[in-house]
Amino acid sequence: MTDLLNPATDVDDGPVPETSRADWTSDQEVRWCPGCGDYSILTALQLLMPELGVRREKTVFISGIGCAARFPYYMNTYGVHTIHGRAPAVATGLAMARPDLDVWVIGGDGDMLSIGGNHLIHALRRNINLNVLLFNNQIYGLTKGQFSPTSQKGKVTKSSPVGLVARPFNPISVALGAEATFVARTHDMDRHHMQDTFRRAHEHEGAAFVEVLQNCNVFNDGVFASITKKDVREDMLIDLQHGKPILFGSEKQYGVARRPEGVVIVDVAEVGIEYVLVHDETIRNPSTAFSLSRLAKTPATPTPIGVFRAIDRGEFASSVSAQIREVQAQVGQGDLGDLLRSQPTWEV
Amino acid sequence: MTDIAEAPSAPALDEVIIRFAGDSGDGMQLTGDRFTNASAMFGNDLATLPEYPAEIRAPAGTMAGVSAFQVHISDHDITTPGDAADVLVAMNPAALKSDLHTLVPGGTLIVNRDTFEERNLAKAGYDHNPLDDEDLAGYSLIQVPMTSLTKEACAEFGVKPRDADRSKNFFALGLLSWMYSRPIEPTMDWIESKFAGKDLIIAANRAAFNAGHAYGETAELGSQRVIVKAAPLAPGTYTNINGNTALSWGLVAASQLSGLPLYLGSYPITPATDILHELSKHKAFGVTTFQAEDEIAAIGAAIGASYGGSLGVTTTSGPGVALKGEAMGLAISLELPLIVVDIQRGGPSTGLPTKTEAADLLMAMYGRHGESPMPIVAARTPSDCFDMAIEAARIALVHQTPVMFLSDGYLANGSEPWRLPEVDGLPTIEVRYATEFNMVDEDGNGTFWPFLRGEDGNRPIALPGTPELMHRLGGIEKEDGSGNVSYDPDNHEHMVHLRNDRIAAIPVPEAELEEGSEGDADLLVVGWGSTWGAIAGAARRVRVAGGRVDHVHLTHLNPLPANLGDLLRSYQRVLVPELNLGQLVRILRAEYLVDAQPLSKVKGQPFTAGEIQFAITEALDGPAGHKEGVTA
Ligand code: SF4
C-alpha cells in the first residue's frame, strides 16, 4: 500500500513542470557504436518524454543485459540496469509495489526472447502496466555476433558458421500468443512513427509491447534495409491504421485481405477495395492480428508496422492492490496482536 | 463423554512419545496435528516431527506411501520430538513394516487389524501376517478393528461405508485421546469449524472419534490409560506454532515495525510453499504476494519491489536458491535490502523434498559468483523463526543488503508451544531514505550521489518518485560515491573490499553459552539452526550423568559473533553436529584455526538427542584434539 511508503514518493502537487529534451538526458556519455540504430530510438524517446505529461522522478527505466540494456543510463530518470533477461521480472515487482510510477522495460531480442523469454510472456499474460520496448536487431551485439532467437534460418554468424538451423521467433507473434493487450511494431529509421507508437504504448493501461526493428551496423548491418530504407518503405512497410483499409504501395495499389488460410497481399485493382481488410485493433480474438504478424516471413517482404492489437483488459497490479483494499475494507487494517492470537491459544 | 477430570486415578507419566503412521491417504498428519493441539491446549510442553513422502498419493498401501507424525508431550521442558516412540499407531501393514524400528522395545503397538489382510500384506511385502509373529511378542500389542468399528459407528448417521472409511483416523485419534487423557473439546470444536456446512462429514468424524474414545473405555484397555500433566511453562499466552507460520508472522511483524509494506515474490517449492500460502492470507496487513513464473522471477520481482520501497522477500528451498544466485549478486551490487528465505531440504538436485537437511550453509556463504558476501541468519526452533525473521529484516533494511535466512524442513513443519511476545515490546526498525542532494557538481549545482556513504558505510536510498534525485543503478561495477559505471582496476578492488568489509562490520550479538553450560567444561558443542533441540537435550543428559559439556548455538553465521574465536579457543575439544558433511566446522577451522570436529548426519531426519549424547560421551572419553570426525 502506498500509504506505508516514504512521503517523498507521494509528492504530486501542482501541474507537471514543462521539460525539454535536455531535462530527460543524463550526464552519461552514450557508448553505442557510431551509427547504431539505438541512437535514433534514444533520441525519439528523449524528445517524446516532455510531451507525455509525466514527471521525471516518477519515470523508471528497467533493462536487462545487452546493447539495448544500456538505455537507462542515458535517461535522466530513475533506472536500473539489472541482469540478463530479468528486466520484466524486476519491473513487475516495481510496478506492483508502486502503481504511481511509469515503468519502461528496455531490452534486445536475446535478452527478452531467449534468456528472459519466460518473464516476457508472463508479464504480457498478466497485463501488468509496463511499456516494453524490444529492440530487435536479430543478432547478439554485446557478445560480438552470435545468432539470436530472431535470426533468420540459414543465417551465418560466428556461432553458426555454416548457417543457422533453427527457425526464428517472430516477436509480434510471440506477444500475441501470450495474449498481450497492446502489440505494436516500429523501426529505428522513422522517428515520428516511433514516437506515435511509443506514445500509444504509454497511454495503454496494461502491458504494452513494442518491437522496434533496429539496425546493428556492426554485426548485422542492413538486415532491415530492404524494408525500412526511405526509398523502399512505401512498397515494403504496411502501415496499420485503426479503422482504415490496410493499403500500401506508392499508389496504395496493394492491400491485405482475409482468406480462410490467413491474410494475404492482394492487388486492389484486381479484387476491389471492398475485399481489403479494414484494420481493427480492438478485436478481442487475436487471430486476425496473429495472421497479420505472419504476413512477412522474412524482413525482405512487405511487413506490417503500427499497432496490431490494443484492447482493454483488467490491469494486473491494480487488480492485486484492489484485492488488498477490498480485504482491508471488509476486515480493517491487520492487527499484529490479533494475528498472533489467530490460532487456538491458552493461558499459563 | 468421559473427560480428563474424571480420570484422576490414571497413573502419571512425565513424558510420552507417540508416533502415528499410516498410508498417505489415511490422514496421519491431521491426526498428529490434532493430538498435538489438544496436548498444547492441555498445557504440555511438546515437539513434533511430521514425516511424509514427496509423492502426493504414492500407491496406497505401499511402503513408499507411508506418512508418519511423531509427537513428544511432557510435563517438563523438552527440546526434541524424541529419539524413539513409546507408542506406535500403525494403520496398515506398510506402516508397521516401515516404522516398527522407531518403537522402543516393550513399547505399545496399536494396529488397525482390519487392514492386515492379504492384499495389504502383499503390498507391504509381507508373505504372512506379522501380527501372528513371535517378533511382536516384545511389544505390548493392541489390535483394534478400527475400520469396521468406524463404519459401524457411522452407519446410524447414514454415512456410506466407503465414506466412513475416511474417518478411521478420527477413531485412532479418539482412542489415543482416551489413553492419554486428552481434552476432547478442542478436537470437537475443530471438526465443527473445519467441516462447517458438511454435516455428514462432521457426523462421521465425531462418531468415529467417540467410538475410538469409547473403545478405550470399554475394551479393557483401562490399564493403558495414563496422564501426562501440564508442564510448568512460564506464565503467558501460548499458541502451538510451526516454523513456517512463525516465519510468516515474523515477516508481517517486520513490515509493521519498519512501516514498509511486505512484498513476497515466490514460486511453489517444498517445504517453503506454506509461507506463500500463509502470507497470501494477510492482505489486511497490506501484504502483496506474487506467485511468479519461476524462482528467478520471484527474486527479481522482490528486488523490484524493494527498489520501490517495499520490504522485499523471496522464499524458497535449496534448488530455488541455486536459481536465484545471479539475482542475489545483483541485490548485493545494488545494495538493496532483500530477504532470501531458504527452507533447506535434502539435496543435491531434487534430493529429498520433504525431508530435512542443513547442507546449504556453504551455498549461502559462497554460492554466488565473484566476491559477493551476504549476511546469514538461522533459526533454532520453530518459534525462533518469528524473531529471526525480524532480525533478518533489521539487517537488510538498516544495512541495505540482501540477507539469507536459513530454516529447514524440520523447523518448517515441526511445532512447539510458543509464549506470545508483547507486540508493543518489539523493537521498531528505522529505515532512512535520501530526500535531498548530497553533493555539489563541478558547476556548483546540487546533485545526488547514490553511493555516497555515511560513517557506517551505508547509503540512504533515494526511492523512485523522490524529486530531483533521479539516478541509475546497475550490476556493472560502479564508482564508489557517484555510482557511475567504472572499469577502473583500483576502483574495483576498492569496491570488492568495501562490500566485504561493510557486511563483516554489521553488528551481531555476541555468542552466549546456552543454559546449563559452565564456561569451562571439557567440551564445547557448537551448533546452528535446527540442531539446537537435540544438542540441548543431549547436553542435559550428559550433565545428569556427570559429564561436563558446554553448548553454544549460532544464530548469526555471517558475520559470526566477534567473541566466537576466543570462545572456541578456550576449549580443549570442540564438536560441531550438523545435518551435512561438516560445513560450519569447515568455516570455524578456516576462520579461527581451531581443531573443531564434525558430527554428521544426512539421513533426511533431524538428530536425536541420543545420537548427540553418544558423540559427546565419546568425545569426552577420547584424547583431546585430533579426533577423527564421526558420523551419527
Ligand atoms: S554492437 Fe550493434 S547493437 Fe550493439 S551498439 Fe554496436 S551497433 Fe549497436
Side-chain angles (χ1 to χ4, degrees), chain A residues 31-33 36-38 67 137 141-142 214-219:
Chain A
R31 295 239 182 112
W32 289 308
C33 306
C36 174
D38 289 349
C67 294
N137 56 20
L142 199 61
Q214 176 244 325
N215 192 39
C216 168
N217 57 312
V218 173
F219 295 108

Side-chain angles (χ1 to χ4, degrees), chain A residues 4 28 57 72 75 77-81 86 89-90 93 96 98 118-119 126 324 328 334-335 339 343-348, chain B residues 40 233 235-240 259 263 282 284-285 293-294 296 300-301 304 308 464-466 469 471-475 484:
Chain A
L4 270 177
Q28 300 296 300
E57 66 267 22
M75 297 296 295
T77 62
Y78 283 87
V80 189
H81 181 213
R86 315 305 168 199
V90 175
M96 289 177 77
R98 295 289 302 278
N118 197 31
H119 307 310
R126 290 187 192 105
I324 291 175
Q328 289 180 330
D335 178 276
L339 174 65
Q343 296 186 152
T345 60
W346 69 96
E347 299 293 328
V348 172
Chain B
L233 300 171
T237 305
Y238 283 78
T239 195
N240 184 44
Y263 182 97
H282 298 307
F285 290 88
E293 59 271 21
D294 61 30
I296 301 172
T466 313
L469 304 193
H471 63 278
R472 276 60 57 192
L473 301 178
N484 288 336

Side-chain angles (χ1 to χ4, degrees), chain A residues 1 4-6 8-9 11 26-28 31 56-58 60 62 70 72-84 86 89-94 96-98 101 118-120 122-123 126 316 320 323-324 327-328 331-337 339-348, chain B residues 40-41 43 233-240 245 249 252-253 259-261 263 282-288 290-294 296-297 300-301 304-305 307-310 326-327 330 334 386 417-418 420-421 423 426 433 462-467 469-476 484-485 487:
Chain A
M1 302 298 299
L4 270 177
L5 282 174
N6 177 1
T9 65
V11 176
S26 81
D27 60 358
Q28 300 296 300
R31 295 239 182 112
R56 293 176 301 167
E57 66 267 22
K58 293 268 189 183
V60 187
I62 307 273
R70 297 298 174 99
Y73 288 121
Y74 310 136
M75 297 296 295
N76 189 22
T77 62
Y78 283 87
V80 189
H81 181 213
T82 72
I83 43 178
H84 207 11
R86 315 305 168 199
V90 175
T92 293
L94 179 62
M96 289 177 77
R98 295 289 302 278
L101 299 176
N118 197 31
H119 307 310
L120 176 70
H122 285 280
R126 290 187 192 105
F316 178 75
V320 170
Q323 281 190 339
I324 291 175
V327 170
Q328 289 180 330
V331 304
Q333 293 274 341
D335 178 276
L336 192 56
L339 174 65
L340 301 190
R341 283 164 182 77
S342 59
Q343 296 186 152
T345 60
W346 69 96
E347 299 293 328
V348 172
Chain B
M41 301 293 286
L233 300 171
T237 305
Y238 283 78
T239 195
N240 184 44
T245 308
W249 292 2
V252 172
L260 302 188
Y263 182 97
H282 298 307
K283 296 185 172 35
F285 290 88
V287 177
T288 301
F290 174 58
Q291 183 179 319
E293 59 271 21
D294 61 30
I296 301 172
Y307 172 67
S310 293
E326 190 193 12
L330 175 69
L334 300 182
F386 179 85
W418 177 39
L420 299 179
V423 168
L426 297 171
Y433 291 111
L463 294 177
T466 313
L469 304 193
M470 290 82 71
H471 63 278
R472 276 60 57 192
L473 301 178
I476 300 188
N484 288 336
V485 170
Y487 299 109

Side-chain angles (χ1 to χ4, degrees), chain A residues 149-171:
Chain A
T150 56
S151 298
Q152 296 301 311
K153 192 172 177 193
K155 175 94 183 162
V156 172
T157 71
K158 282 187 191 152
S159 53
S160 56
V162 289
L164 176 55
V165 174
R167 287 168 53 87
F169 261 147
N170 173 330

Side-chain angles (χ1 to χ4, degrees), chain A residues 233-253:
Chain A
R233 267 183 224 167
E234 281 189 333
D235 288 329
M236 299 303 277
L237 291 180
I238 307 172
D239 196 6
L240 302 173
Q241 304 269 355
H242 180 63
K244 300 219 173 110
I246 305 174
L247 298 170
F248 65 105
S250 50
E251 313 284 314
K252 301 281 180 220
Q253 68 273 43

